[in-house]
Structure formats: structure tokens, C-alpha cells
Amino acid sequence: MRMPPAPFVSLRTCLLPAALLALALAGCDRHGDAAPAAPQAQVHTHATDRTELFVEFDPLVAGEKSTFAVHFTRLADYKPVASGTVDVILSGSDAPSERFRVRAPRAPGIFAPTVLPRATGMRELSLVLTTPGLEARHDLGQVMVHADAAAARDAGPAAGQVEGEIGLLKEQQWNSDFAIEAVQPRALRESVRAPATIRPSADGAAEVVATSAGTVRAAGRFPVLGEAVVRGQTLAMLVPRLGGDTDAASLQAELAAARSQAALAEADAARMQRLHAQQAVSQRRLQEAQAARQVAGAQLQAAQDRASQLGGGGGGIALRAPVGGTLARVPVANGAAVEAGDVLFHIVDRSTLWLHVHVAEADAAKLDAPTGAAFELPGLDAPVEIRAGDNGRLVGVGSMIDPDSRSLPVVFALDDPPARIALGQDVQAQVFTGRTRTGLSVPAEAVIDDGGQRVVYVMRSGESFSRVPVRLGLRDGDRYEVLEGLAAGDRVVGRGAMQVRLAAATPEAMGHGHAH
């Protein structure tokens, strides 16, 4: 059996009214027997849409002071309310309303108003928190204000922890990544699970290949893997490998000779033109000079074309980026010898990536009008979701089952993908079919695999939790459908489930009383 939680012990020993304690001690003296059972502590947990209240106090006795241990939590971030006033209001039962106020917390999130009731009987109990930008009223229902301490003692024994429940103090909840969520019916997207691969978009990748055998030379700094490049940028130079006995020097000599011959032919043709005008040479001689000029010009052009492969100064053929993006592969180094057709650079535009999903033949008929997809990355708890019309789109759905894999291809585009996504990565994906159904659900991080059994932790009171096995249905993004185990209104630990599990495993380390 688990020990009673520290909060109850702290309240009963520290906040027990003096009159009740005196009665208990007197009873021991009179009867020489064990002290009567302590009165039952009052414990209430209540939530609005913005705040959660957890309050403990000893039974109320008319004319006797009772100090409340009030814990207020902001539900937006599940952190303590650091400032403000708290009013405790007793009303109803044909008696005047009584209000008791404390103007500041004793510690962040913890208020300790002192209540001194006058009227007896069943009273409506409310607590009102007022802090800048927020006012929250928590109506807790009826409480009994007893006529005297004996009546309070006779109301019942002190409250203890229910067998099997797990204690975790509010201070421990506030100091961890913690959140509580009320289970409610909601629309869930139906989906099918399938393997998938991350690839570049159809026009978002390009390869730069060697057009001939040769040597790759840097054009300044040689590109490196992961470097961003722009369309048209010169990545490197390819110096072609020349055939036979031809080398760079002989090409330059041929070019010089061709230039000289072209110049001579041009001058001779001009001279023949002048002489023909003076009728000093025949028409045939002029035509021969003009033909020689054309041949010399063609030879010069051919020599220039051959020499241009070396870039004039030996630089070679410029290798330019056909698309902008990131260098995904650089399989060559500066000075490497390559053959025609070798891949020198692989460029990928990562602004849009494609998710290629392979939906099993048995699930293909469920794809009415896919609205999006989600996929899990190893090492990350939350899946990456593609929402059509938001951060991506449906590229297409195949109309034929692949005969080898017996699967239907479905492709989604993801815009501005996270940098941690690697191209070529195999992932497990969900394709949302376009159908929805209503059901209870919990955050995926609320579900713990406990020895092969899926469990969640349900808050029973502000500092007490139960381990509840659940049967899960479909997964919608970062949520699981719950088919069995929970009911609407149950308050489940959404974040911090492992903290509660640790408290269950090591109760001696998880609750040494409040710092009230």
C-alpha cells in the first residue's frame, strides 16, 4: 500500500485548528487511549478555460480560523499564478455572504487565505482569482460549516490517498514541462499508414556532368558539399583531354598560324580588288584571292574553336549551375580526372521537397480525396505534417498499382521543409484520406508504452493521478484516438507523463511536502 501523499499530512499537521488539536489531546488524556481520528481534509480540484484551482483545507467550524492552501495554475503554460488576490466566498443557506481575501501569494501559485466563518450549515463555496488581465471564478459547490470542533471531528476520518493513485506535488508539476488536457470529442481525420521516401521535386534537382574526358580544375574556390549556389554560377572548369600527340602548345601554335594565314589572305584579296579595279588583273584572279580568304577564315575559326576548349589561358570549359539550390553531392575533387558522362555536381533546390508515399494495394480504395500527409522522422516525437493549401499540396495520386511493390504511388509537395529532413530518407507516413469521424483523443505524448501496454495518466485531484490502460484507434498527426479507457471530461496528463511515471516508480523521491 502506498503512503498517504505529503499534501494531506502537511495540512493536517500544520493547518489543523488549535481547538480541534486540543480536543484530540484531551481525548487521549481522558481515556488513556489512542487519539480520535483526525477530521477529514477537504480537497477540491476545479478548472475553467484559463485557470486550474487545487485547494485543501480542514473542515470549517463556525468561529474557528481555517487556513486554505490554494494553488492556482495558468492553463496556457501550466505555470503558477505569480500575483493577484484571492477571495474565498461562502454564500447561501439563508445567511449573509462572507468574503475572505488574501492580497498576494505566499509563494508563486500558492495563496493562503484565512477563513473565519460565522454562519453554520451547508454553504456554497467559491474562490475568485483576480490578477492583471485575468479574473477567474471557481464555484466548488456546497461545504458544511460545523457548529463546533466535535461535529467536525465526527464528520469522518482524515482523507488518505486512494489505493493505486500516484502523488505529484504542484510545485513539481510547475517546475517541469507539464500540461493537463480535458478529454473531449473532436473530429479526427482518417488516414492510412504507408512507407515513403523524401525526394527532390521534379524540376528541383539537376546534375552537372562532364561533356568530355578531362581534368576538373577550380575556378577560384572549389565548391563544397552543402554550399548554396545560384543559377548560372561557374562551379569549376573542365580541361578536356586532347587526343593523339595534340597538346595545348600545339593548339596555340595552330591558332597563331591560322591567324597569320587569314591576315595574308585578307591582304591579298584586298590587293587583288584594287588591281582588278585598275584592270590590271583578271576577274578569275580576283575570285581566286577571295576564295583563299574564305578558306583562311574558316581555318582560323576552327583553330579558335579548338583553342576555346582551353579557355584561351588554359582554364577549360566552364561548368555552370543549371539551377539554383544546394550542392547535395560533390563526388569529384580539384584536379580529378573524369570521363565523359561522369557526374561532377548534384544540385538540389530544397525550397520544395516531395514525399513519395507507397500506399498498400489493400488501402488504395480508402483514398477518396487526400487532404494531406504526415511523416515521422527518427529521433523526433512530433511528426512533420503536410497540409494541402497551407505548407504543401497534393501533387498526384497514381492510377495503377505498381506490379512489383503492389502499392499505389501518392506524391505530396512540402514547402519550406525543415533543414533536418535528408533527401533520400525513408520514413513512415500517414495519408489523410479526406474522411473524418468524431471520437475521443489524447496527445501522442500523453501515451506511454508501459511494458507493451499503452497507458495514460488521469488527474484525480490536483496532486493525485491514476494509471489508466487505453485502447487506441487511428492517429491524426500528433494525436491518438482513444477507443477504450477514457470518458469525456477526464483530465489527462498531456505533457509530463514520464514525470508521473517516475513518481509512481520512486514515490519516496516525489513528494516531501509543500513549501507553504
Side-chain angles (χ1 to χ4, degrees):
M1 179 180 296
R2 301 181 58 82
M3 296 295 294
F8 301 148
V9 175
S10 175
L11 282 170
R12 286 196 298 272
T13 56
C14 299
L15 305 181
L16 188 68
L20 292 180
L21 184 58
L23 269 176
L25 294 175
C28 292
D29 291 341
R30 284 195 306 270
H31 302 289
D33 205 347
Q40 181 172 347
Q42 303 292 301
V43 180
H44 296 269
T45 304
H46 185 268
T48 67
D49 58 344
R50 300 180 67 183
T51 58
E52 178 196 272
L53 164 68
F54 171 59
V55 58
E56 304 169 290
F57 56 93
D58 285 322
L60 300 179
V61 177
E64 298 289 347
K65 292 182 179 181
S66 177
T67 301
F68 282 39
V70 179
H71 307 72
F72 269 112
T73 306
R74 294 192 310 264
L75 292 181
D77 57 5
Y78 215 80
K79 295 302 178 185
V81 174
S83 63
T85 62
V86 170
D87 290 286
V88 179
I89 303 171
L90 295 172
S91 61
S93 192
D94 296 326
S97 294
E98 301 177 71
R99 181 183 292 263
F100 309 92
R101 172 173 293 182
V102 62
R103 299 187 178 275
R106 178 177 294 182
I110 302 175
F111 298 78
T114 298
V115 174
L116 180 61
R118 297 298 180 186
T120 61
M122 298 299 296
R123 303 279 275 164
E124 297 291 335
L125 175 63
S126 300
L127 276 80
V128 178
L129 168 69
T130 304
T131 190
L134 172 65
E135 180 171 318
R137 182 184 181 94
H138 294 259
D139 295 317
L140 305 184
Q142 292 187 329
V143 295
M144 172 63 72
V145 179
H146 300 280
D148 52 39
R153 186 184 63 240
D154 293 341
Q161 185 172 357
V162 177
E163 178 70 21
E165 288 190 4
I166 305 159
L168 186 68
L169 301 182
K170 275 296 172 197
E171 292 92 329
Q172 293 166 322
Q173 298 172 31
W174 292 333
N175 290 328
S176 60
D177 186 18
F178 205 83
I180 298 293
E181 177 179 309
V183 178
Q184 298 294 342
R186 66 168 64 200
L188 298 169
R189 296 171 296 177
E190 295 186 5
S191 63
V192 296
R193 295 181 67 83
T197 305
I198 306 295
R199 296 177 184 169
S201 63
D203 57 355
E207 292 181 338
V208 179
V209 300
T211 55
S212 66
T215 304
V216 178
R217 298 292 185 189
R221 188 178 64 83
F222 198 78
V224 296
L225 183 68
E227 182 177 336
V229 299
V230 297
R231 181 185 179 92
Q233 177 180 336
T234 299
L235 304 176
M237 307 298 291
L238 175 63
V239 180
R241 184 186 307 152
L242 303 177
D245 297 330
T246 305
D247 57 15
S250 63
L251 285 179
Q252 294 298 327
E254 288 179 8
L255 177 59
R259 283 174 177 161
S260 177
Q261 189 64 35
L264 289 173
E266 180 66 29
D268 188 53
R271 186 172 62 85
M272 289 297 107
Q273 183 69 40
R274 291 193 301 272
L275 291 175
H276 181 267
Q278 299 171 1
Q279 297 183 349
V281 295
S282 65
Q283 178 69 25
R284 180 181 178 85
R285 182 71 183 87
L286 174 61
Q287 291 174 342
E288 288 175 349
Q290 291 175 336
R293 181 180 61 183
Q294 292 177 347
V295 171
Q299 290 174 340
L300 173 59
Q301 184 63 51
Q304 288 174 333
D305 290 343
R306 288 194 296 271
S308 68
Q309 294 182 343
L310 302 178
I317 303 170
L319 301 170
R320 304 184 189 280
V323 297
T326 303
L327 291 175
R329 289 182 60 222
V330 183
V332 296
N334 187 21
V338 297
E339 299 295 331
D342 286 354
V343 176
L344 309 181
F345 303 99
H346 189 177
I347 305 170
V348 174
D349 179 3
R350 288 185 55 91
S351 62
T352 299
L353 299 182
W354 282 10
L355 178 71
H356 288 250
V357 189
H358 316 288
V359 177
E361 181 178 8
D363 292 327
K366 299 177 183 178
L367 300 179
D368 287 348
T371 58
F375 59 93
E376 302 166 9
L377 288 176
L380 295 179
D381 294 332
V384 177
E385 185 168 341
I386 302 173
R387 298 174 296 276
D390 180 10
N391 67 339
R393 59 187 174 86
L394 174 66
V395 176
V397 179
S399 58
M400 185 176 72
I401 299 295
D402 183 276
D404 296 324
S405 64
R406 306 307 301 172
S407 64
L408 184 72
V410 182
V411 181
F412 290 90
L414 173 62
D415 299 328
D416 298 322
R420 61 182 177 270
I421 298 178
L423 289 167
Q425 190 170 15
D426 291 328
V427 296
Q428 190 66 27
Q430 297 170 263
V431 176
F432 299 112
T433 64
R435 302 175 183 175
T436 62
R437 68 171 181 249
T438 300
L440 303 179
S441 70
V442 295
E445 59 185 328
V447 180
I448 299 293
D449 188 340
D450 189 1
Q453 186 178 48
R454 300 293 186 90
V455 302
V456 299
Y457 293 97
V458 176
M459 175 181 278
R460 299 307 183 188
S461 69
E463 296 179 334
S464 183
F465 303 84
S466 291
R467 174 187 178 277
V468 178
V470 291
R471 186 166 70 89
L472 304 178
L474 62 83
R475 179 165 182 170
D476 181 352
D478 60 355
R479 302 189 68 84
Y480 278 115
E481 179 187 25
V482 178
L483 301 177
E484 293 180 1
L486 297 177
D490 285 343
R491 304 189 72 222
V492 171
V493 180
R495 293 195 311 272
M498 290 302 298
Q499 179 81 351
V500 181
R501 185 181 184 184
L502 176 63
T506 56
E508 67 281 356
M510 306 301 293
H512 297 290
H514 289 289
H516 293 335

